Amino acid sequence: MHVPILKQGDYLIATIQSVLSDADLLQLRDDLADRVGQFRSRGVIIDVTVLDVIDSFPTRTLRGVAHMLRLRGANTVIVGIQPDVAFAMVQLGLTLEGVGTALDLEEGLAFLNAKTKRAGGVVARTGGTAPSSLSKSPPDARTRRGNRPLQ
Amino acid sequence: MSTFNEEICVPIRSDADIVVARQKGRALAVQLGFSGSDPTVIAAAISEVARNIVNHAKQGEIVLTGVHESSRLGIQVVARDEGPGIANIEQAMQYGYSSGKGMGVGLPGAKWLMDAFDIKSQIGKGTRVTMQKWVR
Ligand SMILES: Nc1ncnc2c1ncn2[C@@H]1O[C@H](COP(=O)(O)OP(=O)(O)O)[C@@H](O)[C@H]1O
Ligand SMILES: [Mg+2]
């Protein structure tokens, strides 16, 4: 099952569309590594909302993806881990140590904006170049709710 | 303890079969009356023992059945293979121990997720993991 990767400014958004096998996850890792290089992306959002289970293999793979992309200059944030999935992860003793997590896409974007700003990098879509009527960026989510690392 | 549904037998030969096994396990769990996070917890345990078959024994099967014992209802998951077997079960059950490049979380994790867990293994003969969880 192929995971589409969308380019959105300095960021990449990979939205998992169906349950993935271990091989699919490794494919996603390799695709992200390629795209981050190709587009010089500063941040990557992986939306795992539809994943039915995140057990040891996906956990290790997601951690590996985040560490690898970090070395390539991009921050990763995992969004959409479902409550039951998180509960089973906790029972398995699994953590996403060192990986950004956020509740949903909007908070994931806020997380990346905060990260890239802190690093003195480009801040995505907050400049005034785009006509405001065309600007799709949400009102700054950081001012409403903080990012919540899962664990 | 007696079983009451037809056995659901899922052959495990590749990583795609891991997904099939845990989806069938989840569906059976829901059908048996498990609710809340239990179906996901059961699916996670199935995923770990099925992955062990693929990674450590190449092939085998997952057998899912509904069980009841003195008026309580539950699910039984058996993972069996005719792979190389496990020399040191105590070591294999240690959190973080892996003979390969795994996280070493599968066996102890599956035990935590389920209510009952038993593992039998013979070198050169294979491995059988039997787990149960009861509807609360
Ligand atoms: N079905 C099996 N056949 C042979 N060896 C197994 C099997 N399941 C588990 N093992 C052994 O037990 C160890 C621990 O298993 P587990 O906790 O799932 O960790 P991991 O799979 O990450 O190595 C494995 O590394 C392997 O040596
Ligand atoms: Mg394992």
Side-chain angles (χ1 to χ4, degrees), chain A residues 12 14 16 26 60-61 74 87-89 93 125 148 151:
Chain A
L12 295 178
I16 297 172
L26 294 177
R60 194 178 51 148
T61 307
F87 181 76
M89 286 178 73
R125 288 172 305 285
R148 58 200 74 194
Q151 270 161 47

Side-chain angles (χ1 to χ4, degrees), chain B residues 39 67 104:
Chain B
V67 287

Side-chain angles (χ1 to χ4, degrees), chain A residues 8-11 13 109 113 122-128 135-138:
Chain A
Q8 172 119 39
D10 289 326
Y11 301 154
I13 303 177
L109 279 168
N113 283 337
V122 185
V123 178
R125 288 172 305 285
T126 50
S135 172
K136 281 192 198 127
S137 46

Side-chain angles (χ1 to χ4, degrees), chain A residues 8-132:
Chain A
Q8 172 119 39
D10 289 326
Y11 301 154
L12 295 178
I13 303 177
T15 306
I16 297 172
Q17 311 273 330
S18 74
V19 166
L20 295 184
S21 72
D22 295 356
D24 297 330
L25 271 161
L26 294 177
Q27 183 66 49
L28 173 62
R29 178 195 64 189
D30 296 346
D31 289 350
L32 282 172
D34 287 349
R35 299 294 169 81
V36 162
Q38 184 184 349
F39 297 120
R40 301 179 166 273
S41 307
R42 303 295 307 274
V44 173
I45 298 178
I46 304 176
D47 186 341
V48 300
T49 305
V50 304
L51 287 190
D52 61 331
V53 163
I54 301 179
D55 60 350
S56 59
F57 187 84
T59 298
R60 194 178 51 148
T61 307
L62 291 171
R63 268 159 49 165
V65 168
H67 295 158
M68 178 195 63
L69 296 180
R70 185 73 223 113
L71 293 171
R72 308 268 284 148
N75 289 300
T76 302
V77 58
I78 311 290
V79 305
I81 297 177
Q82 294 302 294
D84 296 348
V85 171
F87 181 76
M89 286 178 73
V90 169
Q91 289 217 316
L92 280 165
L94 297 170
T95 65
L96 283 172
E97 248 169 89
V99 185
T101 51
L103 204 54
D104 55 24
L105 207 56
E106 188 184 334
E107 298 220 357
L109 279 168
F111 178 95
L112 289 181
N113 283 337
K115 276 263 180 187
T116 43
K117 192 185 255 171
R118 206 177 308 140
V122 185
V123 178
R125 288 172 305 285
T126 50
T129 45
S132 59

Side-chain angles (χ1 to χ4, degrees), chain B residues 42-110:
Chain B
I42 291 163
I46 294 171
S47 194
E48 290 291 358
V49 293
R51 181 173 294 106
N52 279 351
I53 292 176
V54 175
N55 289 350
H56 306 299
K58 294 218 162 56
Q59 57 173 310
E61 60 188 8
I62 300 283
V63 183
L64 305 161
T65 38
V67 287
H68 57 86
E69 181 184 72
S70 51
S71 83
R72 60 178 184 170
L73 237 111
I75 189 169
Q76 176 167 280
V77 178
V78 177
R80 59 187 182 214
D81 63 69
E82 296 177 355
I86 300 170
N88 186 341
I89 288 184
E90 205 182 313
Q91 184 183 46
M93 289 302 297
Q94 274 170 22
Y95 195 84
Y97 171 80
S98 173
S99 61
K101 45 186 164 50
M103 288 185 79
V105 164
L107 289 179

